[in-house]
Amino acid sequence: MLEKKIRAAYEQGEGILRLAPVFVPRLFSQPGHRLKLHPDDYFALGTQRGAIKERWFSSVIAANNGPLAAPDEGMSYVVPTDDPADKFTLRDAIAELGAEAIGTELLEKYGTWPMYSKFFDYSVPLFHHVHLTFDKAAMVNRLGKPECYYYPPQLNNYDGTMPATYFGFSPEVTPEEVKERLRDYETRDTRITELSRAFRIQLGTGWYTPAGVIHAPGSYLTYEPQWNSDVNSVYENVASGEVYSKFFLNENCPEDKKDDIDYIFSLLDWEKNVDPDYRKHYFRPPVVIDSAPDGCIEKWVVYGNEYVGAKELTVMPGQEVVITDPAAYGLILTQGHGQLGVHDCETPTLLRFGQLSLDEYYVTETAAKAGVRIRNTSRVEPLVMLKHFGPNHPDMPR
């Protein structure tokens, strides 16, 4: 029965699957209220779960959100009709469609769609934390987590309390200075960002953050394509006045390493953290694609890594274009309305928790290669979308 439902949605959508909004709460920090979620719904799952601060896209994994989280929290659902009861997971759809959905290369190498993206929406800077490298994540049966950032102007009507992001440590900082702060995690405010360096965020640009690089994201809403993982270690024990227990520091360490400061320090890729040319190596200004058809502007906004890529596509008012890509992708609208293949698409003004929308889709590799016809039905407003890819788009700037 499920197989038939998936096939019917795939065929009726001509290879494009409509996805339901996925809002994710977090216990820590403060929400930025830029997700277009109704103000009454930021605690839709209860105050014990924390406020909703993220929206996830094209996700086949669950959020690492503790024992109170539902097993499918963070996972994307396909909604072929306006009846939410007809839904099924994107993970099931990809398992059924296989190479038609993600292509032979990703299927053979990973067995599923290997990335997801999110809107990360906090009003204050997040704690200084590091995502584990693949070898360290394997120690706790998880995957490493490289991630990328892009700051969409359409969703940043205000800049929060600190629109700057810390990356790594200043080049002159020594390992012992960092370990000294970690040893004091439970005895004082260690102010570990005193050892770091911050860069003012520029809207319309982004960064690549390799796994193993510590960072404290600034207070803009951020579009974050990343690997299929939700794993970190929090090195900052007091952030924006909020205290974090040692659980946040050692949660993703093996049991016999949870109080081992040398091991916790080894989660860092030290050379990348103290790179004196960090901005030169990891800042990502947009790269305009000269071959885009008339009537639109297409830019690479995430690129220059081995894991994920993303484009921003703008279709001008009243224009219709056919866009081809050699790889599958998920997409989220940030402005405007129109048609995406056989689907209507529109950017919402306000969503209730659990409400369906027409702003998120998954474009299978079959449809991407055949070309997606996109029409902007507005006479005055651009139609803008962000498209997130896995590691197999051959045209992504390296």
Side-chain angles (χ1 to χ4, degrees):
M1 179 64 180
L2 178 59
E3 292 82 0
K4 290 183 178 179
K5 183 184 289 189
I6 291 171
R7 282 283 162 187
Y10 174 73
E11 292 168 5
Q12 292 166 9
E14 296 183 357
I16 301 176
L17 303 174
R18 175 190 172 196
L19 303 180
V22 179
F23 291 105
V24 176
R26 296 294 196 183
L27 276 172
F28 46 78
S29 200
Q30 302 172 34
H33 296 96
R34 290 165 294 200
L35 293 173
K36 300 189 176 180
L37 182 64
H38 193 286
D40 290 347
D41 291 355
Y42 274 86
F43 290 95
L45 294 173
T47 56
Q48 74 276 17
R49 297 298 319 284
I52 289 169
K53 306 177 186 79
E54 300 176 6
R55 180 177 170 184
W56 287 25
F57 310 118
S58 64
S59 169
V60 299
I61 67 165
N64 180 25
N65 253 357
L68 297 180
D72 63 348
E73 188 163 280
M75 293 179 61
S76 292
Y77 277 84
V78 179
V79 281
T81 72
D82 288 336
D83 183 354
D86 288 338
K87 70 181 182 179
F88 50 85
T89 66
L90 179 62
R91 182 166 67 183
D92 284 340
I94 287 171
E96 169 63 24
L97 298 170
E100 293 172 281
I102 61 175
T104 301
E105 180 182 349
L106 295 186
L107 183 64
E108 291 180 351
K109 194 168 184 179
Y110 304 108
T112 189
W113 179 240
M115 64 84 65
Y116 70 107
S117 191
K118 68 168 70 167
F119 283 156
F120 168 99
D121 180 35
Y122 294 72
S123 64
V124 297
L126 198 59
F127 39 62
H128 216 29
H129 67 287
V130 60
H131 296 301
L132 276 59
T133 58
F134 283 87
D135 59 336
K136 293 298 184 182
M139 299 286 287
V140 288
N141 299 312
R142 295 179 180 272
L143 294 173
K145 188 184 178 184
E147 63 183 15
C148 302
Y149 310 142
Y150 175 70
Y151 308 103
Q154 296 89 347
L155 292 162
N156 279 296
N157 60 316
Y158 81 102
D159 54 8
T161 62
M162 183 180 167
T165 293
Y166 288 96
F167 292 109
F169 296 106
S170 294
E172 73 278 5
V173 168
T174 67
E176 183 55 34
E177 288 179 278
V178 175
K179 292 179 187 179
E180 181 182 1
R181 306 281 176 133
L182 295 178
R183 292 188 192 104
D184 291 344
Y185 201 90
E186 293 184 301
T187 61
R188 67 181 180 94
D189 180 351
T190 66
R191 299 174 180 167
I192 197 167
T193 51
E194 291 175 345
L195 306 180
S196 188
R197 54 197 162 173
F199 298 86
R200 177 90 183 198
I201 294 171
Q202 299 172 247
L203 295 183
T205 72
W207 294 81
Y208 168 50
T209 303
V213 171
I214 196 166
H215 52 289
S219 55
Y220 271 127
L221 179 142
T222 309
Y223 170 65
E224 290 192 4
Q226 55 203 263
W227 205 242
N228 265 353
S229 181
D230 192 21
V231 60
N232 63 50
S233 175
V234 177
Y235 279 35
E236 186 174 11
N237 64 340
V238 181
S240 301
E242 188 168 357
V243 179
Y244 294 90
S245 72
K246 203 170 184 181
F247 169 82
F248 287 86
L249 176 67
N250 61 26
E251 174 188 8
N252 290 296
C253 295
E255 286 300 321
D256 62 343
K257 301 293 186 182
K258 287 189 181 295
D259 292 316
D260 187 335
I261 294 301
D262 288 330
Y263 180 84
I264 293 170
F265 175 82
S266 76
L267 301 178
L268 297 170
D269 184 328
W270 184 249
E271 295 305 316
K272 289 186 174 66
N273 278 280
V274 293
D275 182 354
D277 295 317
Y278 192 88
R279 186 181 188 278
K280 175 182 177 181
H281 292 148
Y282 301 113
F283 178 62
R284 298 289 183 263
V287 176
V288 175
I289 300 171
D290 294 332
S291 60
D294 293 340
C296 73
I297 299 171
E298 196 166 28
K299 305 174 183 177
W300 282 104
V301 295
V302 167
Y303 58 91
N305 70 86
E306 301 175 8
Y307 304 100
V308 296
K311 296 179 180 181
E312 181 185 70
L313 173 66
T314 301
V315 181
M316 299 308 177
Q319 297 297 304
E320 182 175 302
V321 296
V322 176
I323 301 294
T324 59
D325 282 286
Y329 55 92
L331 69 85
I332 178 69
L333 268 64
T334 59
Q335 185 176 357
H337 63 275
Q339 291 180 301
L340 180 79
V342 298
H343 298 272
D344 293 331
C345 62
E346 63 185 25
T347 309
T349 301
L350 194 66
L351 289 171
R352 298 305 304 247
F353 185 82
Q355 178 184 345
L356 298 182
S357 67
L358 295 173
D359 64 337
E360 186 185 356
Y361 294 87
Y362 181 85
V363 179
T364 64
E365 182 169 297
T366 303
K369 286 182 172 179
V372 178
R373 186 173 298 277
I374 303 170
R375 182 183 174 207
N376 184 347
T377 53
S378 173
R379 300 198 310 272
V380 295
E381 186 175 20
L383 174 62
V384 185
M385 64 187 69
L386 297 168
K387 303 161 55 177
H388 26 276
F389 297 89
N392 63 325
H393 198 301
D395 301 331
M396 182 175 76
R398 298 291 173 182

